[in-house]
């Protein structure tokens, strides 16, 4: 029996791309290297050490001049398994240590990847300080969307899914957007739009959502002049339009207009960059991207799929979801009336 996970790639990476120069002495276990007290496991016989070395050379295709250094066998926290720490040395350099598990009977070695799942997935991305729609902070399901206000796919998702979510789930679902404007060579005014809506969000969450709704619904028109006249979609005109739309919404919401206008003039992108950094940490490379209680969805998906994920998240929270979603049938095809034939003579 052989339990090896990603052994070739891991070992080759350690052996050939993460060299550090130090003496080629037999490695300590990870626990010993950190100063912890370790308990020796069963002795690692020369014959077992040789079998491990031969296996690693074959699986990782190590160069013949390399040296495989196998440390002492120590008791692990996994019942039935000890650990050994292995490094590979060649041409005067030694890899970072790799931890392998050795079964008590000496017939199996394994390399396992551990992941910390102690944190609630819902809390992986904070919604603190963001305008929200739907339910309160205690809502059982939190949906965080990474949004680009110039993105046509985001606009479609916004128009198609979010009204349906609030209609189906009411206050059981809380919806929050984070900013992830794509680069300016793709979406030239997305960053400006993100800054503007956030300037208003600081004073009026309702105004923020009104702007998001409007910009997603009218993205193709943002470049047109606000008064009658020829269409001008140059970037300065677009920026002027975005600022005016935001200013007008601020007036409608009765905010401190002087403060809002100062924010629009400053165009501070610090907060947007912080949101983008969070997206980068979760390997987001496209919009829209949703997290439903931490479960990631990228791109356009069928609404029934989204509903299934939300229903599952509700059950985990001990909340009964609405009845199963049934997709409405397509509209019946319309038939063109047959034109009456002219009466014969």
């Amino acid at each position: 029996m052989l339990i090896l996970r990603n052994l070739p790639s891991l070992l080759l990476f350690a052996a050939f791309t993460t060299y550090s120069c130090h003496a080629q002495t037999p490695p300590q276990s990870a626990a010993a290297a950190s100063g912890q007290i370790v308990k020796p496991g069963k002795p690692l016989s020369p014959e077992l050490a040789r079998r491990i070395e031969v296996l690693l050379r074959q699986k990782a295709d190590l160069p013949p001049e390399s040296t495989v250094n196998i440390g002492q066998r120590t008791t692990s926290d996994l019942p039935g398994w000890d650990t050994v720490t292995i490094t590979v040395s060649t041409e005067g350099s030694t890899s970072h240590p790799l931890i392998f598990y050795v079964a008590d009977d000496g017939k199996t070695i394994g390399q396992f990847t551990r992941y910390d799942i102690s944190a609630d997935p819902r809390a992986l991305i904070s919604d603190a300080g963001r305008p929200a729609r739907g339910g309160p902070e205690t809502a059982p399901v939190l949906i965080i969307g990474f949004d680009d206000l110039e993105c046509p796919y985001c606009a479609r998702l916004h128009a198609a899914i979010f009204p349906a979510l609030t209609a189906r789930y009411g206050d059981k679902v809380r919806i929050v957007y984070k900013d992830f404007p794509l680069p300016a060579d793709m979406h030239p005014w997305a960053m400006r739009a993100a800054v503007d809506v956030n300037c208003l969000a600081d004073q009026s969450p309702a105004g923020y959502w009104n702007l998001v709704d409007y910009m997603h619904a009218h993205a193709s028109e943002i470049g047109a002049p606000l008064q009658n006249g020829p269409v001008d979609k140059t970037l300065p005109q677009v920026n002027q339009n975005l600022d005016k739309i935001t200013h007008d919404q601020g007036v409608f919401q009765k905010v401190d207009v002087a403060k809002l206008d100062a924010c629009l003039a400053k165009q501070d992108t610090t907060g947007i960059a912080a949101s983008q950094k969070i997206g980068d940490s979760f390997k987001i490379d496209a919009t829209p991207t949703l997290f439903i209680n931490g479960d990631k969805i990228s791109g356009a998906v069928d609404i029934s799929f989204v509903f299934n994920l939300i229903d599952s998240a509700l059950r985990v929270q001990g909340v009964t979801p609405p009845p199963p979603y049934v997709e409405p049938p397509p509209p019946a095809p319309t038939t063109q009336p047959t034109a009456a034939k002219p009466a014969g003579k």
Side-chain angles (χ1 to χ4, degrees):
M1 176 182 176
L2 173 66
I3 302 176
L4 290 168
R5 298 184 180 178
N6 302 324
L7 172 60
S9 59
L10 287 175
L11 189 57
L12 283 174
F13 179 80
F16 302 116
T17 66
T18 58
Y19 284 141
S20 58
C21 296
H22 52 79
Q24 298 182 29
T25 55
Q28 293 178 299
S29 70
S34 65
Q36 300 178 22
I37 298 175
V38 297
K39 297 180 180 180
K42 296 180 180 179
L44 187 67
S45 67
E47 189 269 339
L48 178 55
R50 177 61 180 166
R51 283 194 280 124
I52 293 174
E53 179 178 346
V54 169
L55 174 70
L56 298 184
R57 286 187 179 278
Q58 292 174 347
K59 293 293 183 181
D61 195 22
L62 297 177
E65 67 273 13
S66 62
T67 301
V68 178
N69 305 302
I70 302 176
Q72 65 177 338
R73 186 170 179 170
T74 58
T75 300
S76 76
D77 57 357
L78 189 64
W81 299 81
D82 293 333
T83 60
V84 294
T85 303
I86 299 174
T87 60
V88 177
S89 302
T90 187
E91 298 181 356
S93 296
T94 302
S95 70
H96 289 304
L98 293 170
I99 307 300
F100 285 84
Y101 287 81
V102 181
D104 284 348
D105 61 8
K107 296 180 180 180
T108 308
I109 68 170
Q111 189 178 46
F112 305 99
T113 302
R114 296 188 177 194
Y115 297 97
D116 182 1
I117 59 171
S118 59
D120 180 357
R122 173 193 165 104
L124 293 178
I125 303 176
S126 172
D127 64 333
R130 297 298 300 164
R133 264 181 171 164
E137 293 182 6
T138 56
V141 175
L142 172 63
I143 299 177
I144 293 182
F146 282 80
D147 188 53
D148 176 316
L149 289 165
E150 196 178 348
C151 167
Y153 302 103
C154 296
R156 293 175 195 172
L157 180 78
H158 184 86
I161 290 186
F162 287 111
L165 294 182
T166 53
R168 176 173 168 82
Y169 297 103
D171 62 1
K172 294 183 176 66
V173 171
R174 180 177 175 86
I175 302 166
V176 167
Y177 274 178
K178 285 187 175 290
D179 302 292
F180 201 81
L182 297 182
D185 59 345
M186 298 177 62
H187 291 167
W189 54 265
M191 177 63 80
R192 183 84 174 208
V195 172
D196 282 10
V197 298
N198 280 280
C199 282
L200 186 55
D202 288 341
Q203 299 190 62
S204 173
Y208 164 87
W209 283 112
N210 285 350
L211 279 179
V212 170
D213 290 341
Y214 180 86
M215 290 183 185
H216 273 317
H218 299 275
S220 62
E221 307 165 19
I222 294 293
L226 299 179
Q227 291 79 31
N228 294 330
V231 173
D232 179 5
K233 290 193 176 182
T234 61
L235 189 57
Q237 178 67 57
V238 172
N239 291 341
Q240 179 181 338
N241 289 353
L242 289 169
D243 291 353
K244 178 165 178 50
I245 292 167
T246 306
H247 170 91
D248 290 348
Q249 181 64 209
V251 172
F252 177 76
Q253 297 293 337
K254 297 182 172 56
V255 303
D256 184 336
V257 176
K259 180 180 177 181
L260 173 61
D261 288 345
C263 182
L264 296 177
K266 186 177 181 181
Q267 285 297 302
D268 184 359
T269 62
T270 303
I272 313 301
S275 181
Q276 290 173 312
K277 186 175 181 180
I278 294 172
D280 291 339
S281 70
F282 285 91
K283 296 181 171 52
I284 294 174
D285 57 6
T287 54
T289 297
L290 303 180
F291 289 84
I292 298 177
N293 276 11
D295 199 352
K296 181 180 177 183
I297 305 174
S298 274
V301 295
D302 188 82
I303 192 170
S304 61
F305 179 76
V306 177
F307 285 168
N308 287 338
L309 288 183
I310 296 174
D311 289 351
S312 177
L314 287 172
R315 293 188 189 98
V316 170
Q317 300 294 321
V319 178
T320 301
Y325 173 72
V326 178
E327 188 170 351
T334 57
T335 57
Q336 295 293 333
T338 302
K341 295 182 180 180
K345 293 182 180 179

